[in-house]
Amino acid sequence: MRRAFVAQALGLSLVGCAAPIAQTPAPPPAAPLPLAAPVAAKPVPAPAPAKPPGPVLMTPVDVDKLTADLWQSAGVIPVAVSDDAELLRRVSIDLIGRIPTLEEAEHFLADKSPDKRAHLVDQLLASPEYAEHWADVSLDLFVGHEFRKPGLEKRLDPRAFYLAAFRENRPYDRMAREMLTFSGEIVPSGPGVFVASHVKGGGAETMASTTARLFLGVQIQCAQCHDHPYDDRYKQEDFYGLAAFFARTKTKQEKVAAAPAAAPDAATLTATAAPSMVAASGSGDMAGGDAGGMAAAVDRADNKVYTVFDKPNGQMKFKKNGATSETVVQPRFFGRNIPALAGEGRRDTLARAVVGSDLFGKTFVDRTWAQLFGRGIVEPWDDLGGENDPKHPPLLNRLADDFRASGYDIKHLLRLMVLSRAYELTSRNPPSASANSTGDTPLPAAATASRPPPPDPTLSFARAAVRRLTPEELFRSLIVATGVDRLEQLDADKVRKRIERALKEYSFIFADDEGAEVNTFNGNIPQALLLFNGELTNQGAKQRPGSNLAHILTASNEPATRLRQMFLSTYTRLPTDAEQSRLLPVLGQGPGSRAAYEDLFFALLTSTEMLTNH
Amino acid sequence: MSTRDRIPRRWFLELGVGAALSFGLGLPFGGQRSAVAAKAKTKTPRARACILLYMEGGPSQLDTFDPKPGRPTGGPFKAIETNVKGIRISEHLPRLAKQMKRMALIRSLTSKEGNHDRARHLMHTGYPPQGGVDHPAFGSVVALTRDSRTLPGYVAIGGPGEDAGFLDASYSPFPVLDPTKPTRNLGYAGGVDPGRFDMRLGLWRTLQGDFATDHPGVLASGQRSVGEQAVALMRSPSVTAFDIAPEPDALKAAYGPSPFGAGCLMARRLVAAGIPFVEVLLKGWDTHDNNFPRVTDLSATLDQGMSALLDDLAKTGLLDTTLVLWMGDFGRTPVINDRGGRDHFPTASNIVLAGGGVKGGQVIGSTNENGDEIVSRPVSVPDLYRSVAWAMQVDADKSRFAPSGRPVKTVDGGTIISELFI
């Protein structure tokens, strides 16, 4: 299914986003510990309580031992480690959602310090763009498109919740609880849109399947209509048992008088509503400062209030296949009864069970791994099977245990992954390999005369995968590569509007299937047309005051230097000797050569090496 | 997938159809044994293209093609005579009333999907949304089975359409967001002439080749192939079909000033150029409040655009081979709510078909006097799609494999509505 347009907020936040990391006033090298401490520049409303000396957490070396075991059992030898340029590009896209600027690339390549990769990762994780990027990722993942319509999205700004959470490195279990248990008026930047969008999009059933998939990596929605055909773990009763946790949850939109109403109007809920019901639900675990504090700031220009609330009663009912009457189903968590604690609403109980499940950490770990490596440790990440599945490999189990032990510290997990050996491997075919070889080298023991085709090394993370950029990553990267956000002689407001318009078009045309498999090609003609004939690439390839190409051509008259900088600005690497000898004759030095540089820059911007992370 | 077991049972139980009809037997139309099918066997499918007029939000059947004037559920609209005796439709569709001889009305489409997203998926793919399989739009299946040369096989005008699901993304709809203007990005950018574009393309090909050599896999080769297809489309003589500017002003006026009217006109141009499936969206039918003024306005747009399309197709000789299909998310409640609106009602909705071998001037199925129940000839979405597939000569029982390895038929179950066709 297509994704909705991306927030206009993204476009706004993009202007000037490309402040080179290397030039920001040297951020304090992020201390490796305490890992849960917020790294955001802004003061954090609710500081994490000081942690007692915690368990010993994993280091990237521990990850390397586990991937080595994986390679051993898959019978592959990993390819070589990426050079600095390749790694810089990959980790920049993965952590801050865009390619490095020319300045960042030159700075990093010139840096001779031995620990520069670790230092780079710290810088990226501390960058404001880190939170921007992961807010984009989370918005697409969690917010259903009922609330991605431009007007509603602008007003309720669901992205801001994720932005704030990633800025302060909020523990993931807390984020999940906030999303699942929210109750009350939806205020901008609050977590309420998650439940509201899915309840509105399809009621308790959709909430159940969305919660199971996104937080627990379980595909239970098939069991909505019938017992699972291939997997006997999930029955229809399990689906409706999970849905029963949301059976009382409703969302509504109503016009109000000027005075804000924080709680829904009880009279509209049901005639027999008990007075005590709504307020209690869910608010106990809320980040009180976030939700309550913002409520006053709501712009109710249209006098509309969106509310998530729970009715005091209401049951989940379903008609089993072949049955003639409906059965009432009590809330059950994969067949288990979870007794409610005092004061808990159904969703509070569910949130406790979700966070308590081993699948909770595993799903986040596997989804994040899939995002960084092109495929999950278990593939796909949203079909992990069941709780404590013995088939889950040690790499997943250990990372999930560590994630939990770290207090669900997302930056700690990301650091483990991107500093691992597997992440550093190149995506290039080894030069010795023949054109259609997959590029692995067989283990000596496996080298027999007639063996099946070698396994694809990207399947066991023995070579980096080539991945399509998301629409947001591609858009941000094109902005950084071209400098169209810094054009001179143009009204800043006009530039901003153009960028917003271009972002809208990129989001629409490049909207893809979430969870599309890596190494499958699913580009299409409208995308190619947008790149070939669209405004962003065509304007961006021009030499005009303020543009990156103008900067490159002014900085040097030497074609080889210019070529080098054009490659660094787009592919984040230097041209090979072969490329130089092929491309330099096309370029020139005279004033008439401007078109040739523009044409080459255009070709760089629209080619696969630019459009992918590799 | 046990849908194949489930749907038949469900329809048996709930529609009260059964013994006489065969479901999902895997037999082609001509091979089915029922009496109904045997009769239809002598008919010849003739649709080469399909234009889907999709009413996003769910059009009110009682205020369009199944009026109930004078009933408590009927609302203020009057019903008017059409050019077929005994068939009456809303007074706000006067032009279409004069074309009733060309149209078949189904007043008894029924489904279970009352949520917009789920219903849109069902109405575009023939399948309710299910985990594990991302069903392709029927238009994507048509695109897959037709050779439209350099042109896309499925074009969606005014909205994104429904994507190709588990089929190759090249069968996803080619979007035309604003049909009143030349389609975006199909022509060279300002300051770029064909010669300069060729220069760029040459460099682009070189760079693509280098990357593909270093990075095995389908991504680089796929990107290159799609880029070449895009260039072929830009340079195809038929690409002019994506711009309605060359049409005479009088004809543009006949279609009306709305984007929907322009979309209908572009659809005719695209079909004439050889594109087999075109969808035109008309949004705004989700009339939970203020239903009657809103439907009045929407009807005016619909009436003008759709009737001009039928006339134009007939005049250009395309109507006989072009199936025009009108439908939306679902019907709307007979009960008028206290905001003067109607809510979602999948239980009964309307479909209009014309051209492409459809026998016009008839009504299939009926609802009771208040419109809250179907009383004859219930039609399911699989029935509809099996019929459309037959008319378009798309094999309804052909299985394609989803990534999970599960075989998925073009249409799951259903029976051809044989009386629909000449």
Side-chain angles (χ1 to χ4, degrees):
Chain A
M1 291 182 195
R2 275 181 184 270
R3 296 190 306 191
F5 286 163
V6 170
Q8 288 174 332
L10 174 54
L12 293 166
S13 68
L14 269 166
V15 179
C17 74
I21 316 164
Q23 293 175 6
T24 48
L33 285 169
L35 287 161
V39 200
K42 288 183 182 173
V44 178
K51 283 168 83 174
V56 178
L57 297 178
M58 284 172 81
T59 66
V61 177
D62 299 315
V63 180
D64 295 346
K65 287 180 193 143
L66 293 161
T67 51
D69 292 346
L70 211 61
W71 296 330
Q72 175 84 33
S73 58
V76 293
I77 287 180
V79 295
V81 167
S82 307
D83 62 23
D84 283 343
E86 184 179 349
L87 186 86
L88 170 67
R89 190 177 199 276
R90 184 183 309 145
V91 75
S92 298
I93 296 169
D94 280 336
L95 293 185
I96 64 169
R98 63 162 176 85
I99 61 168
T101 64
L102 174 61
E103 295 76 16
E104 287 164 359
E106 287 181 322
H107 181 270
F108 185 72
L109 296 183
D111 187 351
K112 298 282 181 247
S113 60
D115 61 345
K116 70 176 183 176
R117 292 191 177 190
H119 186 59
L120 169 71
V121 168
D122 288 339
Q123 278 186 317
L124 293 171
L125 289 174
S127 151
E129 289 177 81
Y130 161 79
E132 299 280 345
H133 171 55
W134 289 83
D136 288 345
V137 170
S138 305
L139 184 70
D140 286 342
L141 196 64
F142 289 111
V143 176
H145 62 171
E146 284 286 335
F147 278 68
R148 299 293 303 275
K149 293 162 189 162
L152 207 52
E153 177 156 6
K154 194 169 181 184
R155 209 164 87 56
L156 296 178
D157 196 5
R159 185 174 177 276
F161 167 73
Y162 300 100
L163 191 61
F166 280 99
R167 271 190 190 143
E168 66 175 54
N169 197 29
R170 191 174 302 168
Y172 180 59
D173 58 334
R174 198 178 125 203
M175 276 173 71
R177 272 194 217 100
E178 287 170 0
M179 280 191 269
L180 283 167
T181 62
F182 178 85
S183 186
E185 180 183 330
I186 301 173
V187 296
S189 330
V193 173
F194 168 69
V195 166
S197 63
H198 295 293
V199 166
K200 184 159 191 284
E205 289 87 348
T206 296
M207 269 317 308
S209 55
T210 303
T211 301
R213 188 175 87 83
L214 297 182
F215 289 114
L216 302 167
V218 166
Q219 300 279 346
I220 200 172
Q221 64 273 31
C222 301
Q224 179 173 354
C225 312
H226 49 80
D227 291 345
H228 202 297
Y230 308 133
D231 185 343
D232 56 10
R233 253 185 304 245
Y234 301 118
K235 305 282 185 210
Q236 256 185 308
E237 285 83 351
D238 295 323
F239 176 85
Y240 286 97
L242 199 61
F245 285 107
F246 298 102
R248 298 169 179 181
T249 306
K250 303 286 168 197
T251 180
K252 71 176 170 183
Q253 158 194 337
E254 58 189 351
K255 295 208 175 195
V256 292
D265 178 6
T268 64
L269 302 184
T270 143
T272 58
S276 66
M277 51 180 196
V278 187
S281 175
S283 54
D285 200 62
M286 286 289 309
D290 276 9
M294 298 291 273
V298 180
D299 167 24
R300 288 206 196 80
D302 57 359
N303 284 341
K304 275 183 186 168
V305 166
Y306 298 83
T307 316
V308 177
F309 62 96
D310 293 271
K311 295 190 295 181
N313 40 42
Q315 299 291 0
M316 193 74 223
K317 295 177 189 165
F318 87 104
K319 195 177 347 178
K320 185 145 182 76
N321 275 344
T324 49
S325 61
E326 291 190 319
T327 322
V328 170
V329 192
Q330 292 305 318
R332 311 245 322 156
F333 188 75
F334 301 131
R336 284 188 279 132
N337 178 36
I338 312 283
L341 303 180
E344 270 187 342
R346 283 190 174 184
R347 286 189 288 134
D348 303 309
T349 311
L350 175 69
R352 191 158 48 79
V354 164
V355 171
S357 168
D358 76 302
L359 290 172
F360 176 69
K362 283 177 179 173
T363 302
F364 187 88
V365 166
D366 206 42
R367 171 161 66 75
T368 306
W369 186 281
Q371 200 177 318
L372 301 182
F373 290 84
R375 56 184 291 123
I377 300 166
V378 172
E379 179 69 15
W381 62 263
D382 59 359
D383 195 2
L384 296 182
E387 292 186 293
N388 301 306
D389 190 322
K391 290 197 292 285
H392 291 162
L395 177 60
L396 178 61
N397 296 339
R398 286 285 309 281
L399 283 170
D401 288 346
D402 185 70
F403 185 42
R404 180 186 299 255
S406 75
Y408 296 103
D409 179 340
I410 294 172
K411 286 190 180 180
H412 165 66
L413 180 70
L414 287 171
R415 201 177 266 116
L416 276 185
M417 289 183 182
V418 301
L419 289 174
S420 70
R421 169 105 191 278
Y423 185 82
E424 291 192 319
L425 298 177
T426 183
S427 63
R428 291 207 181 93
N429 220 7
S432 59
S434 65
N436 57 2
S437 155
T438 49
D440 65 327
T441 315
L443 290 172
T448 56
S450 61
R451 62 190 190 91
D456 180 349
T458 61
L459 297 184
S460 49
F461 318 110
R463 189 180 68 212
V466 178
R467 297 169 269 151
R468 294 178 73 209
L469 300 185
T470 64
E472 295 85 358
E473 288 166 352
L474 173 60
F475 185 79
R476 284 173 192 270
S477 297
L478 285 172
I479 299 277
V480 159
T482 58
V484 292
D485 56 335
R486 284 172 286 169
L487 292 181
E488 293 159 17
Q489 299 170 344
L490 264 182
D491 179 44
D493 203 44
K494 207 167 161 186
V495 171
R496 188 176 52 83
K497 279 194 178 131
R498 277 194 191 175
I499 289 178
E500 275 178 30
R501 196 175 56 209
L503 172 64
K504 212 169 149 184
E505 193 169 16
Y506 270 76
S507 304
F508 176 71
I509 297 287
F510 280 88
D512 56 356
D513 263 353
E514 55 177 62
E517 277 193 57
V518 71
N519 287 347
T520 59
F521 174 73
N522 55 357
N524 59 35
I525 293 174
Q527 293 168 3
L529 288 171
L530 175 58
L531 291 165
F532 282 158
N533 302 324
E535 193 180 347
L536 180 54
T537 42
N538 277 282
Q539 295 296 324
K542 278 190 183 154
Q543 181 202 356
R544 51 195 296 193
S547 78
N548 277 4
L549 186 62
H551 168 75
I552 291 168
L553 298 185
T554 322
S556 168
N557 277 330
E558 186 54 49
T561 307
R562 291 170 162 188
L563 184 67
R564 179 180 176 275
Q565 297 213 323
M566 287 162 73
F567 266 70
L568 272 181
S569 302
T570 50
Y571 293 175
T572 323
R573 68 172 173 88
L574 302 178
T576 62
D577 292 347
E579 282 163 335
Q580 293 203 49
S581 55
R582 219 174 1 217
L583 296 173
L584 280 177
V586 180
L587 305 173
Q589 271 171 304
S593 65
R594 169 180 158 168
Y597 283 99
E598 290 186 347
D599 292 345
L600 177 61
F601 202 52
F602 177 87
L604 287 164
L605 289 172
T606 54
S607 56
T608 306
E609 188 160 353
M610 176 69 198
L611 309 180
T612 51
N613 194 359
H614 38 77
Chain B
M1 179 78 261
S2 65
T3 336
R4 279 196 296 152
D5 308 327
R6 177 174 59 84
I7 286 203
R9 251 201 326 268
R10 200 176 75 189
W11 293 121
F12 269 81
L13 285 170
E14 296 173 10
L15 301 183
V17 290
L21 305 180
S22 55
F23 289 97
L25 295 176
L27 298 173
F29 184 20
Q32 291 196 343
R33 288 162 300 199
S34 76
V36 180
K39 193 179 166 198
K41 195 176 168 183
T42 58
K43 300 182 178 186
T44 312
R46 50 179 99 188
R48 284 203 285 266
C50 178
I51 297 175
L52 168 61
L53 305 178
Y54 195 80
M55 305 296 112
E56 194 178 280
S60 167
Q61 71 285 8
L62 300 183
D63 307 311
T64 52
F65 294 104
D66 191 10
K68 306 285 178 187
R71 300 299 306 174
T73 55
F77 291 1
K78 297 188 183 73
I80 54 169
E81 292 293 339
T82 64
N83 65 355
V84 177
K85 195 168 164 40
I87 303 181
R88 293 161 70 88
I89 63 174
S90 155
E91 60 176 323
H92 297 294
L93 299 169
R95 293 182 180 87
L96 285 172
K98 291 186 190 129
Q99 304 227 26
M100 192 61 228
K101 282 186 180 151
R102 289 181 172 140
M103 303 189 295
L105 305 184
I106 298 176
R107 285 176 170 163
S108 54
L109 188 87
T110 183
S111 96
K112 293 287 240 183
E113 303 297 349
N115 166 270
H116 289 293
D117 291 341
R118 295 183 59 89
R120 264 166 223 164
H121 184 93
L122 172 70
M123 297 306 288
H124 280 90
T125 69
Y127 284 83
Q130 291 154 355
V133 176
D134 189 4
H135 301 103
F138 182 75
S140 299
V141 176
V142 171
L144 169 74
T145 55
R146 294 289 212 276
D147 177 15
S148 52
R149 296 181 304 282
T150 57
L151 298 174
Y154 172 14
V155 175
I157 302 175
E162 182 81 18
D163 68 33
F166 66 78
L167 298 180
D168 189 285
S170 63
Y171 303 116
S172 279
F174 182 94
V176 175
L177 295 186
D178 182 358
T180 64
K181 297 182 185 143
T183 301
R184 279 179 75 78
N185 303 326
L186 266 176
Y188 300 107
V192 179
D193 57 28
R196 183 136 193 224
F197 191 84
D198 277 335
M199 282 293 301
R200 294 179 166 195
L201 200 56
L203 290 163
W204 181 83
R205 286 177 177 139
T206 304
L207 297 172
Q208 292 298 79
D210 290 350
F211 186 73
T213 309
D214 283 352
H215 296 82
V218 295
L219 247 162
S221 60
Q223 206 101 45
R224 167 150 189 179
S225 135
V226 156
E228 299 290 356
Q229 288 171 47
V231 175
L233 173 60
M234 286 167 65
R235 294 183 166 175
S236 158
S238 306
V239 78
T240 52
F242 285 92
D243 183 2
I244 62 168
E247 294 289 346
D249 287 343
L251 187 63
K252 285 183 208 159
Y255 277 92
S258 68
F260 175 74
C264 288
L265 176 52
M266 188 180 283
R268 195 226 74 211
R269 287 177 67 83
L270 296 172
V271 164
I275 291 179
F277 197 96
V278 182
E279 174 171 353
V280 187
L281 255 81
L282 179 55
K283 297 183 184 180
W285 292 93
D286 197 20
T287 49
H288 290 285
D289 51 42
N290 227 13
N291 174 75
F292 299 99
R294 289 167 71 187
V295 172
T296 303
D297 292 348
L298 286 161
S299 295
T301 303
L302 168 67
D303 190 49
Q304 187 165 17
M306 184 172 174
S307 59
L309 175 65
L310 295 179
D311 271 339
D312 198 11
L313 286 171
K315 276 184 201 139
T316 50
L318 290 165
L319 188 60
D320 195 43
T321 55
T322 305
L323 179 67
V324 177
L325 183 57
W326 177 95
M327 63 188 187
D329 298 357
F330 31 60
R332 305 203 76 85
T333 46
V335 173
I336 300 163
N337 66 29
D338 55 13
R339 297 182 305 280
R342 297 188 191 266
D343 302 317
H344 303 177
F345 194 61
T347 308
S349 60
N350 290 349
I351 304 278
V352 181
L353 301 98
V358 164
K359 191 165 132 194
Q362 61 165 332
V363 174
I364 294 171
S366 59
T367 51
N368 65 5
E369 56 186 4
N370 283 339
D372 49 21
E373 254 177 64
I374 289 172
V375 293
S376 71
R377 188 64 169 104
V379 169
S380 71
V381 176
D383 292 341
L384 174 73
Y385 270 113
R386 188 160 283 270
S387 308
V388 173
W390 177 82
M392 292 282 290
Q393 299 180 72
V394 170
D395 183 353
D397 289 311
K398 164 126 181 124
S399 283
R400 295 175 190 85
F401 289 92
S404 61
R406 184 188 300 174
V408 177
K409 289 182 174 186
T410 308
V411 183
D412 187 14
T415 305
I416 296 171
I417 309 158
S418 64
E419 65 267 38
L420 254 181
F421 300 105
I422 298 164

